[in-house]
Amino acid sequence: MNMFQKIPNIKRNRAIIIGNGTTRANFDLNKIPLKNEVYSCGIAYEGFDDLNRVNLYNVTIEEYRKKMLVDSNLFSDSRILFPDQIEDHVESSIYHGHAGPRPRSNTGMWAMKCAMFNGNSILYILGFDSLIKNDTTQSISNMFEGAAETRTNAADNPNRIKYLDWFMTHNLFTDFVFVFDKQYDFYECISPNMHGMSYVQFEKALMYETPF
């Protein structure tokens, strides 16, 4: 992934997915312009001073996170996106070639599906640190402590990224733009619709509404 490549400017619907990797720790979510469509993984919304400044959805595949969102009384049911189908909790049967037991998916992947279902074809993805290959501590970092049974293991990351790569190559009409604080040694992916962007570039893209 080349952090500084140039992609043609085409007017399309865009969404911002906020993951929980600590590479986004120093990015102020309040810099996101008003009314942008945002998908908060778990409780990532806690970075906003005003929850009404953006068009906010809260996504999770974890029951305890769903309960936290419901119990907060901050969001209507339509703003909490939790998958009812088992197929959205696990990796695709098409990818694995069978419908039997498969690895658990993750909230970031569910957020991508939700954003695409809602008509967005440019996805800016923050805090997806599992892409980082050369720093296992960073790759499983999390801004919010999660339940032990759902905690990410660095040994799982290579297979998770292979699945992500497959998912992107099977959604070629969507551009997946991963935003990081600096250049890292990332896992190699072959998806032609996968892009990289620095936070400086991201802020400019938001300010001037030029997607790439």
Side-chain angles (χ1 to χ4, degrees), residues 43 64-65 68 142-148 151:
I43 56 173
Y64 81 98
R65 287 290 195 209
M68 289 175 65
N142 199 310
M143 293 183 64
F144 305 97
E145 189 68 24
R151 194 168 296 141

Side-chain angles (χ1 to χ4, degrees), residues 98-117:
H98 61 80
R102 283 160 277 142
R104 178 178 171 274
S105 188
N106 60 77
T107 292
M109 297 294 297
W110 172 235
M112 294 177 202
K113 289 183 179 181
C114 292
M116 292 162 59
F117 181 81

Side-chain angles (χ1 to χ4, degrees), residues 16-20 24 29 32 38-42 44-45 48 56 59 111 124-127:
I16 300 165
I17 296 173
I18 306 173
N20 293 307
R24 76 164 186 86
L29 297 182
I32 297 176
V38 174
Y39 293 78
S40 161
C41 293
Y45 68 85
F48 286 105
L56 180 64
V59 297
Y124 293 106
I125 305 163
L126 288 59

Side-chain angles (χ1 to χ4, degrees), residues 35-167:
K35 305 308 177 186
N36 269 258
E37 192 159 300
V38 174
Y39 293 78
S40 161
C41 293
I43 56 173
Y45 68 85
E46 291 187 2
F48 286 105
D49 293 338
D50 178 4
L51 297 179
N52 295 312
R53 68 172 284 111
V54 295
N55 183 14
L56 180 64
Y57 293 92
N58 302 278
V59 297
T60 185
I61 66 168
E62 299 166 348
E63 287 279 1
Y64 81 98
R65 287 290 195 209
K66 177 187 176 184
K67 185 177 187 305
M68 289 175 65
L69 292 167
V70 172
D71 290 349
S72 73
N73 293 315
L74 293 172
F75 312 104
S76 65
D77 290 346
S78 64
R79 292 289 160 169
I80 300 174
L81 306 180
F82 179 82
D84 295 322
Q85 302 297 320
I86 187 61
E87 282 298 313
D88 290 315
H89 286 268
V90 296
E91 294 182 357
S92 170
S93 59
I94 300 173
Y95 174 72
H96 286 280
H98 61 80
R102 283 160 277 142
R104 178 178 171 274
S105 188
N106 60 77
T107 292
M109 297 294 297
W110 172 235
M112 294 177 202
K113 289 183 179 181
C114 292
M116 292 162 59
F117 181 81
N118 283 344
N120 298 287
S121 59
I122 302 173
L123 308 184
Y124 293 106
I125 305 163
L126 288 59
F128 212 82
D129 289 8
S130 56
L131 278 166
I132 298 172
K133 183 178 181 181
N134 64 330
D135 187 336
T136 55
T137 300
Q138 182 66 61
S139 72
I140 60 171
S141 66
N142 199 310
M143 293 183 64
F144 305 97
E145 189 68 24
E149 62 270 22
T150 63
R151 194 168 296 141
T152 301
N153 188 316
D156 296 331
N157 283 345
N159 286 330
R160 289 180 66 189
I161 301 308
K162 286 179 182 177
Y163 179 62
L164 170 66
D165 198 16
W166 174 87
F167 179 82

